mmCIF file of all heavy atoms in Angstrom:
data_model
loop_
_atom_site.group_PDB
_atom_site.id
_atom_site.type_symbol
_atom_site.label_atom_id
_atom_site.label_comp_id
_atom_site.label_asym_id
_atom_site.label_seq_id
_atom_site.Cartn_x
_atom_site.Cartn_y
_atom_site.Cartn_z
ATOM 1 N N LEU A 36 25.614 30.384 -81.475
ATOM 2 C CA LEU A 36 26.022 29.505 -80.351
ATOM 3 C C LEU A 36 26.780 28.303 -80.790
ATOM 4 O O LEU A 36 27.817 27.961 -80.294
ATOM 5 C CB LEU A 36 24.736 29.094 -79.546
ATOM 6 C CG LEU A 36 24.904 28.238 -78.370
ATOM 7 C CD1 LEU A 36 25.770 29.002 -77.285
ATOM 8 C CD2 LEU A 36 23.612 27.798 -77.786
ATOM 9 N N GLU A 37 26.207 27.679 -81.862
ATOM 10 C CA GLU A 37 26.954 26.471 -82.450
ATOM 11 C C GLU A 37 28.338 26.814 -82.867
ATOM 12 O O GLU A 37 29.253 26.147 -82.664
ATOM 13 C CB GLU A 37 26.019 25.805 -83.494
ATOM 14 C CG GLU A 37 26.695 24.571 -84.079
ATOM 15 C CD GLU A 37 25.812 23.802 -85.067
ATOM 16 O OE1 GLU A 37 24.556 24.016 -84.959
ATOM 17 O OE2 GLU A 37 26.403 23.005 -85.829
ATOM 18 N N ALA A 38 28.407 27.952 -83.588
ATOM 19 C CA ALA A 38 29.738 28.349 -84.149
ATOM 20 C C ALA A 38 30.736 28.583 -82.987
ATOM 21 O O ALA A 38 31.836 28.162 -83.065
ATOM 22 C CB ALA A 38 29.533 29.597 -85.009
ATOM 23 N N ALA A 39 30.269 29.242 -81.970
ATOM 24 C CA ALA A 39 31.199 29.545 -80.842
ATOM 25 C C ALA A 39 31.631 28.235 -80.091
ATOM 26 O O ALA A 39 32.837 28.079 -79.871
ATOM 27 C CB ALA A 39 30.438 30.427 -79.759
ATOM 28 N N ALA A 40 30.716 27.378 -79.992
ATOM 29 C CA ALA A 40 31.077 25.971 -79.428
ATOM 30 C C ALA A 40 31.981 25.276 -80.325
ATOM 31 O O ALA A 40 32.948 24.742 -79.822
ATOM 32 C CB ALA A 40 29.769 25.222 -79.278
ATOM 33 N N ARG A 41 31.745 25.359 -81.570
ATOM 34 C CA ARG A 41 32.597 24.531 -82.607
ATOM 35 C C ARG A 41 33.969 25.040 -82.451
ATOM 36 O O ARG A 41 34.961 24.245 -82.445
ATOM 37 C CB ARG A 41 32.092 24.808 -84.032
ATOM 38 C CG ARG A 41 32.817 24.043 -84.970
ATOM 39 C CD ARG A 41 32.121 24.192 -86.410
ATOM 40 N NE ARG A 41 32.674 23.181 -87.374
ATOM 41 C CZ ARG A 41 32.127 22.847 -88.401
ATOM 42 N NH1 ARG A 41 31.067 23.466 -88.841
ATOM 43 N NH2 ARG A 41 32.719 21.909 -89.166
ATOM 44 N N SER A 42 34.271 26.382 -82.280
ATOM 45 C CA SER A 42 35.621 26.839 -82.219
ATOM 46 C C SER A 42 36.277 26.521 -80.796
ATOM 47 O O SER A 42 37.470 26.675 -80.688
ATOM 48 C CB SER A 42 35.688 28.343 -82.472
ATOM 49 O OG SER A 42 34.923 29.051 -81.457
ATOM 50 N N ALA A 43 35.452 26.035 -79.886
ATOM 51 C CA ALA A 43 35.960 25.655 -78.522
ATOM 52 C C ALA A 43 36.363 24.112 -78.456
ATOM 53 O O ALA A 43 36.614 23.726 -77.332
ATOM 54 C CB ALA A 43 35.041 26.140 -77.482
ATOM 55 N N MET A 44 36.186 23.419 -79.482
ATOM 56 C CA MET A 44 36.401 21.998 -79.345
ATOM 57 C C MET A 44 37.031 21.399 -80.587
ATOM 58 O O MET A 44 37.141 22.023 -81.646
ATOM 59 C CB MET A 44 35.038 21.275 -79.144
ATOM 60 C CG MET A 44 34.053 21.429 -80.150
ATOM 61 S SD MET A 44 32.458 20.662 -79.862
ATOM 62 C CE MET A 44 31.830 21.581 -78.505
ATOM 63 N N SER A 45 37.569 20.088 -80.538
ATOM 64 C CA SER A 45 38.269 19.562 -81.568
ATOM 65 C C SER A 45 37.236 19.134 -82.706
ATOM 66 O O SER A 45 35.995 19.050 -82.307
ATOM 67 C CB SER A 45 38.973 18.294 -81.122
ATOM 68 O OG SER A 45 38.074 17.208 -80.949
ATOM 69 N N GLY A 46 37.669 19.041 -83.871
ATOM 70 C CA GLY A 46 36.746 18.632 -84.951
ATOM 71 C C GLY A 46 36.052 17.330 -84.785
ATOM 72 O O GLY A 46 34.800 17.146 -84.978
ATOM 73 N N VAL A 48 35.192 15.956 -81.809
ATOM 74 C CA VAL A 48 34.130 16.139 -80.817
ATOM 75 C C VAL A 48 32.966 16.888 -81.353
ATOM 76 O O VAL A 48 31.784 16.505 -81.167
ATOM 77 C CB VAL A 48 34.640 16.809 -79.492
ATOM 78 C CG1 VAL A 48 33.553 17.177 -78.528
ATOM 79 C CG2 VAL A 48 35.622 15.954 -78.821
ATOM 80 N N TYR A 49 33.270 17.934 -82.114
ATOM 81 C CA TYR A 49 32.140 18.633 -82.797
ATOM 82 C C TYR A 49 31.380 17.706 -83.754
ATOM 83 O O TYR A 49 30.155 17.645 -83.645
ATOM 84 C CB TYR A 49 32.717 19.798 -83.731
ATOM 85 C CG TYR A 49 31.637 20.467 -84.531
ATOM 86 C CD1 TYR A 49 30.671 21.306 -83.836
ATOM 87 C CD2 TYR A 49 31.393 20.084 -85.808
ATOM 88 C CE1 TYR A 49 29.647 21.861 -84.641
ATOM 89 C CE2 TYR A 49 30.320 20.586 -86.517
ATOM 90 C CZ TYR A 49 29.536 21.496 -85.949
ATOM 91 O OH TYR A 49 28.513 22.062 -86.624
ATOM 92 N N LEU A 110 33.318 15.680 -72.441
ATOM 93 C CA LEU A 110 33.991 15.908 -73.723
ATOM 94 C C LEU A 110 34.104 17.335 -74.111
ATOM 95 O O LEU A 110 35.040 17.777 -74.798
ATOM 96 C CB LEU A 110 33.212 15.225 -74.909
ATOM 97 C CG LEU A 110 33.372 13.764 -75.148
ATOM 98 C CD1 LEU A 110 32.473 13.327 -76.330
ATOM 99 C CD2 LEU A 110 34.819 13.459 -75.548
ATOM 100 N N VAL A 111 33.027 18.119 -73.722
ATOM 101 C CA VAL A 111 32.945 19.508 -74.162
ATOM 102 C C VAL A 111 33.362 20.594 -73.170
ATOM 103 O O VAL A 111 33.693 21.582 -73.496
ATOM 104 C CB VAL A 111 31.574 19.832 -74.733
ATOM 105 C CG1 VAL A 111 31.130 18.937 -75.963
ATOM 106 C CG2 VAL A 111 30.528 19.874 -73.702
ATOM 107 N N HIS A 112 33.258 20.141 -71.862
ATOM 108 C CA HIS A 112 33.667 21.000 -70.848
ATOM 109 C C HIS A 112 33.999 20.323 -69.620
ATOM 110 O O HIS A 112 33.396 19.339 -69.276
ATOM 111 C CB HIS A 112 32.449 22.029 -70.493
ATOM 112 C CG HIS A 112 32.843 23.238 -69.784
ATOM 113 N ND1 HIS A 112 32.855 23.156 -68.375
ATOM 114 C CD2 HIS A 112 33.024 24.456 -70.173
ATOM 115 C CE1 HIS A 112 33.247 24.436 -68.013
ATOM 116 N NE2 HIS A 112 33.355 25.235 -68.982
ATOM 117 N N PRO A 113 35.083 20.790 -68.854
ATOM 118 C CA PRO A 113 35.464 20.040 -67.646
ATOM 119 C C PRO A 113 34.398 19.851 -66.644
ATOM 120 O O PRO A 113 34.472 18.910 -65.830
ATOM 121 C CB PRO A 113 36.699 20.885 -67.125
ATOM 122 C CG PRO A 113 36.730 22.027 -67.923
ATOM 123 C CD PRO A 113 35.961 21.880 -69.221
ATOM 124 N N VAL A 324 24.184 21.464 -75.210
ATOM 125 C CA VAL A 324 25.644 20.986 -75.258
ATOM 126 C C VAL A 324 26.549 22.066 -75.835
ATOM 127 O O VAL A 324 27.619 22.409 -75.280
ATOM 128 C CB VAL A 324 25.797 19.767 -76.213
ATOM 129 C CG1 VAL A 324 27.268 19.362 -76.263
ATOM 130 C CG2 VAL A 324 25.003 18.596 -75.722
ATOM 131 N N TRP A 325 26.021 22.849 -76.815
ATOM 132 C CA TRP A 325 26.884 23.953 -77.353
ATOM 133 C C TRP A 325 27.005 25.031 -76.215
ATOM 134 O O TRP A 325 28.105 25.623 -76.034
ATOM 135 C CB TRP A 325 26.239 24.692 -78.544
ATOM 136 C CG TRP A 325 25.879 23.772 -79.752
ATOM 137 C CD1 TRP A 325 24.786 23.839 -80.508
ATOM 138 C CD2 TRP A 325 26.759 22.740 -80.330
ATOM 139 N NE1 TRP A 325 24.819 22.918 -81.567
ATOM 140 C CE2 TRP A 325 25.967 22.219 -81.394
ATOM 141 C CE3 TRP A 325 27.911 22.195 -80.015
ATOM 142 C CZ2 TRP A 325 26.391 21.270 -82.240
ATOM 143 C CZ3 TRP A 325 28.375 21.185 -80.811
ATOM 144 C CH2 TRP A 325 27.655 20.728 -81.898
ATOM 145 N N LEU A 327 26.963 24.621 -72.935
ATOM 146 C CA LEU A 327 27.903 24.071 -71.949
ATOM 147 C C LEU A 327 29.290 24.207 -72.472
ATOM 148 O O LEU A 327 30.167 24.676 -71.693
ATOM 149 C CB LEU A 327 27.591 22.563 -71.685
ATOM 150 C CG LEU A 327 28.466 21.826 -70.724
ATOM 151 C CD1 LEU A 327 28.299 22.422 -69.291
ATOM 152 C CD2 LEU A 327 28.310 20.353 -70.738
ATOM 153 N N ALA A 328 29.542 23.909 -73.769
ATOM 154 C CA ALA A 328 30.904 23.961 -74.321
ATOM 155 C C ALA A 328 31.470 25.368 -74.249
ATOM 156 O O ALA A 328 32.599 25.661 -73.953
ATOM 157 C CB ALA A 328 30.881 23.496 -75.771
ATOM 158 N N THR A 329 30.626 26.362 -74.487
ATOM 159 C CA THR A 329 31.119 27.794 -74.579
ATOM 160 C C THR A 329 31.410 28.341 -73.180
ATOM 161 O O THR A 329 32.478 28.937 -72.941
ATOM 162 C CB THR A 329 30.146 28.677 -75.252
ATOM 163 O OG1 THR A 329 28.818 28.588 -74.652
ATOM 164 C CG2 THR A 329 30.076 28.387 -76.807
ATOM 165 N N GLU A 330 30.525 28.126 -72.191
ATOM 166 C CA GLU A 330 30.712 28.849 -70.932
ATOM 167 C C GLU A 330 30.316 27.950 -69.687
ATOM 168 O O GLU A 330 29.943 28.542 -68.660
ATOM 169 C CB GLU A 330 29.842 30.097 -70.932
ATOM 170 C CG GLU A 330 30.458 31.238 -71.751
ATOM 171 C CD GLU A 330 29.504 32.475 -71.606
ATOM 172 O OE1 GLU A 330 29.698 33.169 -70.587
ATOM 173 O OE2 GLU A 330 28.818 32.753 -72.541
#
Side-chain angles (χ1 to χ4, degrees):
L36 180 64
E37 180 170 339
R41 185 174 194 166
S42 63
M44 59 182 66
S45 75
V48 171
Y49 173 78
L110 277 177
V111 303
H112 195 279
V324 179
W325 304 141
L327 177 71
T329 51
E330 285 184 77

